[in-house]
Amino acid sequence: MLKFLDSLLGRHPEQIKANVEIYTWQTCPYCIRAKILLWWKGVNFTEYKIDGDEAARANMTERANGRRSVPQIFINNQHIGGCDDLYNLDTNGQLDPLLFEAIGNG
């Protein structure tokens, strides 16, 4: 029945091939919102909780081309941006193709 609901709701978790990483703070509302969208789509992602960890934040900032705000999201090592960027990709129909692509295919 869950597969039926996935199809009815436009979810295709079996097609998710991408490596998704997200840098977050535990209580950040934008981080929570981004994770909800990824969860809704059935994405298994790696979360880096960087609360108070300056070394982890420096690593994120370097990967994110200087951006220090959270969340910062990467799909197959490509910097996507933050929560608004993730939702914009989804609204424009560009997120699913990124999620369906296995790492190394792009």
Side-chain angles (χ1 to χ4, degrees):
M1 175 141 169
L2 187 57
K3 287 187 181 207
F4 169 74
L5 288 175
D6 280 343
S7 136
L8 183 66
L9 297 171
R11 291 176 40 140
H12 303 286
E14 74 284 352
Q15 295 179 10
I16 306 291
K17 305 284 189 259
N19 177 39
V20 179
E21 301 168 279
I22 181 170
Y23 288 83
T24 66
W25 282 352
Q26 187 171 348
T27 58
C28 163
Y30 296 102
C31 300
I32 294 166
R33 187 169 178 248
K35 291 188 296 183
I36 287 172
L37 177 58
L38 293 172
W39 171 83
W40 176 255
K41 291 189 166 285
V43 176
N44 290 319
F45 54 86
T46 302
E47 179 178 7
Y48 304 107
K49 296 178 184 176
I50 65 168
D51 304 66
D53 185 342
E54 283 305 314
R57 187 170 194 162
N59 182 53
M60 176 200 76
T61 301
E62 183 178 327
R63 287 186 73 194
N65 302 311
R67 290 178 71 176
R68 293 183 46 83
S69 60
V70 288
Q72 291 300 319
I73 303 155
F74 298 82
I75 299 177
N76 290 337
N77 294 318
Q78 175 186 347
H79 181 232
I80 298 304
C83 181
D84 290 342
D85 302 307
L86 183 70
Y87 273 82
N88 285 337
L89 284 173
D90 190 45
T91 298
N92 294 326
Q94 297 172 316
L95 181 57
D96 286 349
L98 290 174
L99 295 174
F100 297 161
E101 184 176 300
I103 193 165
N105 288 349

